Amino acid sequence: AAVLPEIRGDVEFHDVSFAYEKDILVLKHVNFHVKQGESVALVGHTGSGKTTIINLLSRFYNCTEGRVTIDGVDISGVTLASLRAQMGLMMQESFVFTGTVMDNLRYGNLAAGDEELIRAAELVCADGFIRALPHGYDTVLTEGGAMLSQGEKQLLALARTMASDPKILILDEATSSLDTETEYQIQEALGRLIKGRTTFAIAHRLSTLREADRIVVIDKHRIAEVGSHNELMRKKGIYYGLVMAQLEMHKVAQPG
């Protein structure tokens, strides 16, 4: 395999189909193009194929048919290390390693100096809670980060991702387990992180996706709708139905 050169972040799916099991396709003839620096939200019912798209882009799996390219290069022919070194992946559960806070940040960029890592923490507003820890950046964390809240672990993971300076950022349910106030704080930090980066986001809370440049709606393993939040709401199709259903559930959940 070849080493993937430094990328700009132009991503294209070319007639991609995929099956985890033989002859049972979970993606069917998917075509879409994401320009460098564009943010795209992937929306659809559970099992529609959203996470599969992310898995193919990250090359946890290879396409059954078709190909995925970055800057025109077919990623099936490049080394995993050179591909993933230029990607940042934020998931619902952020892993904390045994070691100091600084050690945990450095996993994002092993060559980074302390000042560079602190600057990454400041950019995502993690510096405040870190300095409030018993020994600040030298505080020793246990595996899983028992002494940190879920929001603090997410901010730590964001700072780690920022330190790696990825050209492509993947957010897979990155805020779904957080309370509303913490989620707002994380969204503010994400706003700084995604600037100038090609971003793919999956979230069940559709309110978190409204600022995406484009929303790609996946239904029955195919791309069903593409557009901005306002465009898709005016269309009154699948996305509109998902938004209205969530609003209704929110009303029912409200006391009184």
Side-chain angles (χ1 to χ4, degrees):
V3 173
L4 181 67
E6 184 174 342
I7 63 173
R8 300 186 308 277
D10 190 274
V11 176
E12 191 160 3
F13 278 62
H14 304 261
D15 199 26
V16 169
S17 295
F18 179 75
Y20 290 103
E21 298 178 33
K22 189 176 179 181
D23 300 327
I24 305 175
L25 291 177
V26 292
L27 283 181
K28 300 176 181 177
H29 305 291
V30 168
N31 290 279
F32 67 93
H33 179 204
V34 182
K35 298 176 183 177
Q36 173 189 352
E38 190 176 17
S39 60
V40 170
L42 302 175
V43 174
H45 294 289
T46 302
S48 61
K50 304 184 298 295
T51 299
T52 301
I53 286 176
I54 297 305
N55 285 340
L56 294 177
L57 177 59
S58 308
R59 263 197 72 201
F60 291 118
Y61 298 93
N62 287 321
C63 303
T64 303
E65 296 177 17
R67 61 197 179 102
V68 179
T69 62
I70 298 178
D71 299 344
V73 177
D74 187 338
I75 64 172
S76 67
V78 303
T79 63
L80 290 177
S82 65
L83 172 68
R84 293 178 185 164
Q86 302 188 69
M87 289 184 175
L89 178 60
M90 276 287 302
M91 305 189 76
Q92 181 177 343
E93 294 294 330
S94 296
F95 196 80
V96 175
F97 301 90
T98 299
T100 66
V101 172
M102 193 65 84
D103 290 337
N104 270 271
L105 292 174
R106 189 164 279 114
Y107 279 116
N109 181 358
L110 295 176
D114 289 357
E115 288 185 5
E116 192 176 346
L117 296 175
I118 291 171
R119 190 158 58 248
E122 289 172 343
L123 282 169
V124 300
C125 299
D127 181 71
F129 91 78
I130 292 172
R131 292 190 184 278
L133 294 172
H135 302 288
Y137 284 85
D138 294 320
T139 301
V140 176
L141 304 174
T142 56
E143 185 174 311
M147 68 187 299
L148 303 179
S149 70
Q150 185 62 34
E152 287 168 343
K153 285 190 279 189
Q154 289 291 72
L155 284 172
L156 185 61
L158 275 174
R160 182 192 296 155
T161 303
M162 178 66 87
S164 71
D165 192 24
K167 298 297 188 298
I168 295 175
L169 182 62
I170 298 170
L171 308 171
D172 191 353
E173 301 288 1
T175 64
S176 64
S177 63
L178 306 177
D179 60 77
T180 304
E181 184 177 345
T182 307
E183 182 183 29
Y184 179 77
Q185 184 182 13
I186 299 290
Q187 288 292 340
E188 288 280 295
L190 282 173
R192 285 182 283 278
L193 183 57
I194 68 175
K195 271 187 181 172
R197 306 176 203 276
T198 305
T199 305
F200 293 80
I202 297 174
H204 284 306
R205 295 183 192 175
L206 300 181
S207 59
T208 65
L209 304 177
R210 291 183 180 181
E211 301 307 314
D213 294 321
R214 276 190 297 155
I215 295 169
V216 176
V217 182
I218 305 165
D219 185 59
K220 296 177 182 176
H221 316 299
R222 300 177 184 272
I223 292 180
E225 297 174 348
V226 179
S228 67
H229 170 76
N230 291 335
E231 287 169 348
L232 294 180
M233 288 300 287
R234 285 195 297 269
K235 189 176 180 180
K236 294 193 174 181
I238 296 169
Y239 179 78
Y240 174 86
L242 290 170
V243 172
M244 297 311 291
Q246 281 203 4
L247 289 174
E248 193 60 36
M249 287 175 61
H250 182 71
K251 285 179 187 176
V252 172
Q254 293 302 306

